[in-house]
Structure formats: C-alpha cells, structure tokens
Amino acid sequence: MKTTVIVFGDTTNKNSIQLEKEYIKRISPFSQIEYITLKEEKMGKTISEEQIKQKESDKFFEIFNKLNKNKNIFLVACHVQGKHFTSEQFAQKLKDTENQFAGITFIIGGSLGLSKNILEKAHLKLSFSSMTFPHDLFRTFLFEQIYRGFMINNNRKYHR
Amino acid sequence: MKTTVIVFGDTTNKNSIQLEKEYIKRISPFSQIEYITLKEEKMGKTISEEQIKQKESDKFFEIFNKLNKNKNIFLVACHVQGKHFTSEQFAQKLKDTENQFAGITFIIGGSLGLSKNILEKAHLKLSFSSMTFPHDLFRTFLFEQIYRGFMINNNRKYHR
C-alpha cells in the first residue's frame, strides 16, 4: 500500500523537519511513502476565507484525482472535529485499508482548515486531539502514528 | 503562577529536546516554569509492574509534597483516559487555576503509566489524545499547549 501525506505550507521549524524525516524514514520499510507540500493561499483584503479554502481545495483535487484515477485510494481528512481513535484502532484502520485499497492519502488543511468539499469526499474524518496544534507539530504526530500503526500491525515492539 | 512539569525518564531524541527548550523559553514570560525529570524504575523479573508504579509514585510525592506544602498547587495528571479539552477550554482551566492556586503541576507517567494513588490525588486527569504517543513527543505537546494557553489568555495572536 502506498501512503501519501498532503499538506499546505512548508514546515518551518528545523527540529520539526528533522523529526518528520526520522518518522518518514521509519515508515519506509512498511509502505511506499510520499509527502506532498502544496502552497498555502495568501490571505488578503480582496479574498474571503471561503475563497481561500476553495482555491486550496482545487489544488488538492488536482493532485488527488491523479493519484486516485483508479478510484482505489482511501482518503483521510485530518479534522479536529473528526472521529477519535486509539492507536490500536488506527492500526486496524490501516490494516483494513491495506486489504481493500491500493493506497491511503492523508490531507492536512491550511490554517483555515479544509473545505466542505474535501470533508465530504473523505472516507474518514480523523481527529488526533480536541486541541489545536501548530502545523509543524501536527505533521510529526501524524507520521508518528502511521509508523506506530505499521509497527502494531507487524507485531513489532515499540516503546511508549 | 508557577508551572511545574514532572516526568519520568530523560528525553533522548535531540530534536525533541530542542523543541521542548523552545516552548519552555516561550512560556517563561508568562509563568515561572520548572521542569523536573525523575529516574524511571527499571523493569525486571523480580519486580512487578505494580511495584514499579508504586516506587515511581513514591518518588513523585517526595517532590510534590515539598512543592505543595501550603496545599495550594493544582495537580494535573496526564492520562490517556482523562478528560478531553479544546485548547480554549484548557486555557480557561489555566486562568481559573491562576486565580485560585499558587501553582500548577503536571505529571506525566513512565512507560507503565501513573499509579492509582497519583490519579486519585490529581485535581484533573487530562487527556491530550486517545492515541498513545512516545514520551518525547508527548512532552512537546504539553509544553506547546501550556504556551498556547497563556497566549490565548493574554489575547496574543498565535498561528495554527
């Protein structure tokens, strides 16, 4: 199964960049992994928040529709109001997806969150926490949980 | 208000250490902050998990009872099955504590979690996520949310 993580805006903190890299490297024996950064739309007086979200949504679907041309990608929208999983439940979801789909794509929104269109198209809206975290840290959480999920599914010991 | 964070075991990942340091530095204009690392008990064949938790609990209370000699410290146990807060609710809890207590102490357990005794003594059992995270990352989350809470309470802009 191919794992794709799509985000808006670069990670700027150098320690977060290093942590991301470490987890991506650790995931790679379990899954092909692709990390795609899309440019965040600039806010401004002449553009509404809805318009920004719509533009970001269009950019996302331009990439995702290519990935998903065989309609076999499971789409997960990271969303603060989404469903909460334990790490074991999340690992089970990865396993089920591996059995039924060719790939899994995670989308993390820009600072305004995800468009209604993405939220509706996603197979799963996943919440890591009721709390808001900075993008840099949030990406590290996601990569770490993907790694943890693969470790659980492969019965590999991984300390807490 | 003085903020104290007590943990078991050193942070070993150098990027996590740097991230912790960054957030601690950012918290310092808002609150005196103390970060105490206690030695984790070694697991072994001759000691049960309950005995390890008991020993760690004793170490914790040796420190905490000194901090809390005037019975004016609000104790928060970080616990996966605890209460979920939004960042705004967590900020409000910090504000309420600031109004009623001289300090707040957060305790993060070792790899076996916290003893029943600590969980019972805590004013609040706080869950950041239903997911399990490695200690290093979890500490970064906690420091970031404390910083975010003070920023919210001081009406300071802080990007998501």
Side-chain angles (χ1 to χ4, degrees):
Chain A
M1 180 173 69
K2 184 178 170 181
T3 305
T4 307
V5 174
I6 303 180
V7 302
F8 284 95
D10 288 317
T11 300
T12 51
N13 182 298
K14 69 179 196 306
N15 297 303
S16 294
I17 292 172
Q18 287 305 319
L19 280 173
E20 278 178 6
K21 280 189 184 164
E22 282 174 32
Y23 285 114
I24 289 170
K25 197 176 160 188
R26 290 192 197 177
I27 293 166
S28 60
F30 300 113
S31 168
Q32 188 191 340
I33 176 145
E34 190 177 21
Y35 183 24
I36 300 172
T37 304
L38 302 177
K39 219 177 152 193
E40 256 190 309
E41 285 297 316
K42 284 200 183 121
M43 304 206 198
K45 281 180 187 163
T46 57
I47 188 164
S48 72
E49 296 201 347
E50 273 316 305
Q51 284 172 314
I52 290 176
K53 285 211 258 186
Q54 189 53 51
K55 280 194 170 194
E56 290 182 347
S57 181
D58 294 345
K59 276 188 200 170
F60 166 73
F61 280 110
E62 205 184 306
I63 302 286
F64 182 69
N65 290 340
K66 281 181 205 161
L67 278 171
N68 194 36
K69 59 177 182 289
N70 297 323
K71 309 286 171 209
N72 56 4
I73 304 294
F74 188 79
L75 179 61
V76 182
C78 298
H79 186 51
V80 71
Q81 285 150 313
K83 203 174 161 187
H84 289 254
F85 282 78
T86 64
S87 296
E88 288 71 22
Q89 288 166 339
F90 180 65
Q92 185 61 49
K93 183 56 81 179
L94 282 179
K95 195 186 268 181
D96 294 344
T97 304
E98 215 161 1
N99 290 333
Q100 295 165 41
F101 292 83
I104 189 165
T105 293
F106 294 88
I107 168 71
I108 305 177
S111 51
L112 298 174
L114 293 169
S115 72
K116 207 178 144 190
N117 198 9
I118 295 178
L119 291 173
E120 280 170 3
K121 287 271 168 57
H123 296 90
L124 170 67
K125 290 181 274 295
L126 175 67
S127 178
F128 281 69
S129 175
S130 304
M131 291 171 163
T132 305
F133 287 96
H135 280 174
D136 288 10
L137 271 190
F138 187 81
R139 291 168 192 182
T140 307
F141 303 177
L142 173 61
F143 286 120
E144 195 279 334
Q145 284 299 304
I146 295 172
Y147 170 63
R148 185 177 291 271
F150 284 122
M151 289 291 275
I152 292 170
N153 290 341
N154 286 276
N155 297 310
R156 298 270 290 278
K157 199 181 154 96
Y158 178 38
H159 279 289
R160 277 174 288 178
Chain B
M1 180 173 68
K2 183 179 172 182
T3 305
T4 307
V5 175
I6 303 180
V7 302
F8 284 95
D10 288 317
T11 301
T12 51
N13 182 298
K14 70 179 196 310
N15 296 303
S16 295
I17 293 172
Q18 286 307 319
L19 280 173
E20 278 177 7
K21 279 188 187 165
E22 282 174 32
Y23 285 114
I24 289 170
K25 195 175 159 188
R26 289 194 198 176
I27 292 166
S28 60
F30 300 112
S31 168
Q32 187 193 341
I33 176 145
E34 188 177 22
Y35 183 23
I36 300 172
T37 305
L38 302 177
K39 219 178 152 194
E40 253 189 311
E41 286 297 316
K42 282 201 183 120
M43 304 207 200
K45 282 179 185 163
T46 56
I47 187 165
S48 72
E49 296 201 349
E50 273 316 305
Q51 283 172 314
I52 290 175
K53 284 211 260 184
Q54 189 52 53
K55 278 194 171 194
E56 290 183 348
S57 181
D58 293 345
K59 276 187 200 173
F60 166 74
F61 280 110
E62 205 184 305
I63 302 286
F64 182 69
N65 290 339
K66 279 181 206 162
L67 279 170
N68 194 36
K69 60 178 183 288
N70 296 324
K71 309 287 171 209
N72 56 4
I73 304 294
F74 188 78
L75 178 61
V76 182
C78 297
H79 186 50
V80 71
Q81 287 150 311
K83 202 173 164 188
H84 288 255
F85 281 78
T86 65
S87 296
E88 288 71 22
Q89 288 166 340
F90 180 65
Q92 185 61 50
K93 181 58 78 178
L94 283 179
K95 196 186 268 181
D96 294 345
T97 304
E98 214 161 2
N99 290 334
Q100 295 165 43
F101 292 83
I104 188 166
T105 293
F106 294 88
I107 168 73
I108 305 176
S111 50
L112 299 175
L114 293 169
S115 72
K116 207 177 145 191
N117 198 9
I118 295 177
L119 291 172
E120 281 171 2
K121 288 269 167 60
H123 296 89
L124 170 67
K125 290 180 274 294
L126 174 68
S127 178
F128 280 69
S129 176
S130 304
M131 291 172 163
T132 306
F133 286 96
H135 279 174
D136 288 10
L137 272 189
F138 188 81
R139 291 167 192 184
T140 307
F141 303 176
L142 173 61
F143 286 120
E144 195 280 333
Q145 283 300 305
I146 294 171
Y147 170 63
R148 186 177 291 271
F150 284 122
M151 288 291 275
I152 292 170
N153 290 340
N154 286 277
N155 297 310
R156 298 270 289 276
K157 199 180 155 96
Y158 178 37
H159 279 288
R160 277 173 291 178

